[in-house]
Amino acid sequence: MPGDKSDRSPWYWLLLVPVVIPLLTLLYNADEPRLLGFPLFYWLQIAFIALGVATTTIVYRMTRRRP
């Protein structure tokens, strides 16, 4: 059918970002800076979760099928 949309959208490559970024240990291999008394490692983990949510939301909105 001409209206079919393939599941091979280039937007899916964006989902690699929240997987690869936390694997880069050089980003959080430090104690400073502290945010509200929490070391870098702890608040950066929360930032990684936010990155994953934002990335998944963007990919979903860009690849969903519209009527």
Side-chain angles (χ1 to χ4, degrees):
M1 287 186 167
D4 276 347
K5 187 174 180 182
S6 172
D7 285 342
R8 294 183 177 203
S9 173
W11 285 102
Y12 292 127
W13 286 103
L14 193 60
L15 292 174
L16 285 175
V17 171
V19 173
V20 173
I21 295 295
L23 294 175
L24 302 174
T25 57
L26 61 104
L27 292 177
Y28 52 87
N29 190 17
D31 187 45
E32 299 289 331
R34 290 181 173 258
L35 182 66
L36 300 173
F38 291 101
L40 173 72
F41 175 79
Y42 293 108
W43 61 264
L44 201 54
Q45 296 301 313
I46 302 299
F48 291 153
I49 292 170
L51 174 68
V53 169
T55 305
T56 304
T57 302
I58 290 169
V59 171
Y60 169 74
R61 289 183 181 249
M62 299 308 286
T63 59
R64 69 180 169 181
R65 296 174 190 215
R66 294 183 177 93

